[in-house]
Amino acid sequence: PREACAALRAVVLWWQVLLNPDSKALDRHLRDASEAAIALAEDWTRREPKEAEAWFYLAGSYAPLVQLRVLRGERLAAAREGNRIRSALEKALALDPSLNDAYFGIGLYHYYADVAPAAATILRFLLLLPGGDKERGMREMLRAREQGVLLAGEADFQLHWLYLWYEKQPRRALKLVEDLSARFPSN
């Protein structure tokens, strides 16, 4: 769907930002691409509110923007928009529990909401955001990794960070990165 293509254009820009995270040269382009993708996906959810895929791509449209906001220290906006991701994914999964890729984003939310530092916990409380559950989040991300169609590689990439920094399992993190390198040798 064109909404998916718009979300992927923002994702491509996010990966370009990551090549040089200190540079803000692509920030405006990423923000514009994300806002365009969000608008298209919101239109889709209004046209077809019972279409799980529409809600999934709405969440996906927000993801690069939230990651940029976190990178740039815009915590309040990131928390607010992260909650929009969570809400859209919950709607997608309520409509279609077999949409395995949606478990990745909801799993990230559940995991990070549980392991967040105290300042983020206070912000979550002030914004009335739901709490997290680290174990549930890990199970959800692993489900997306094993059964998802679109996000298995992204799950491996994100999970390697979790295994390295939060789970204190560097060998497991290294194995994921080695597997990614073998699957995507030109990346």
Side-chain angles (χ1 to χ4, degrees):
R2 68 186 180 127
E3 295 85 358
C5 293
L8 289 173
R9 279 191 286 278
V11 169
V12 166
L13 286 166
W14 168 243
W15 281 99
Q16 290 175 350
V17 166
L18 284 179
L19 292 174
N20 187 3
D22 294 328
S23 170
K24 296 184 179 181
L26 294 174
D27 287 16
R28 181 76 257 152
H29 298 292
L30 174 55
R31 290 176 198 276
D32 291 345
S34 293
E35 289 168 9
I38 291 164
L40 281 172
E42 284 176 339
D43 285 346
W44 189 10
T45 62
R46 282 191 287 278
R47 282 191 322 272
E48 298 182 66
K50 295 189 186 225
E51 177 59 55
E53 194 176 11
W55 294 101
F56 173 74
Y57 283 111
L58 176 59
S61 296
Y62 273 104
L65 182 59
V66 168
Q67 291 176 312
L68 180 67
R69 292 196 190 285
V70 169
L71 179 66
R72 300 297 180 232
E74 301 169 14
R75 289 178 182 82
L76 183 60
R80 192 172 43 247
E81 291 163 353
N83 191 46
R84 290 182 182 129
I85 292 172
R86 181 198 54 79
S87 178
L89 290 172
E90 285 177 349
K91 287 178 186 173
L93 289 168
L95 291 166
D96 183 0
S98 71
L99 188 57
N100 290 308
D101 286 299
Y103 287 98
F104 174 68
I106 202 77
L108 273 176
Y109 178 90
H110 289 142
Y111 189 94
Y112 279 116
D114 192 18
V115 301
T121 302
I122 292 167
L123 179 63
R124 192 184 77 236
F125 175 77
L126 293 173
L127 293 174
L128 304 174
L129 302 176
D133 180 333
K134 179 178 155 180
E135 287 76 26
R136 176 182 175 190
M138 184 61 78
R139 283 192 310 273
E140 290 164 335
M141 287 183 282
L142 290 172
R143 176 178 177 166
R145 179 182 184 263
E146 294 160 8
Q147 299 175 30
V149 175
L150 301 172
L151 298 177
E154 180 68 15
D156 280 350
F157 182 76
Q158 295 296 331
L159 284 165
H160 105 273
W161 289 116
L162 298 179
Y163 287 135
L164 184 62
W165 297 109
Y166 295 98
E167 300 295 318
K168 307 297 185 216
Q169 297 179 35
R171 285 195 176 105
R172 199 166 185 182
L174 181 60
K175 174 78 171 110
L176 287 174
V177 173
E178 289 171 343
D179 290 349
L180 281 170
S181 180
R183 285 194 334 245
F184 305 103
S186 67
N187 188 332

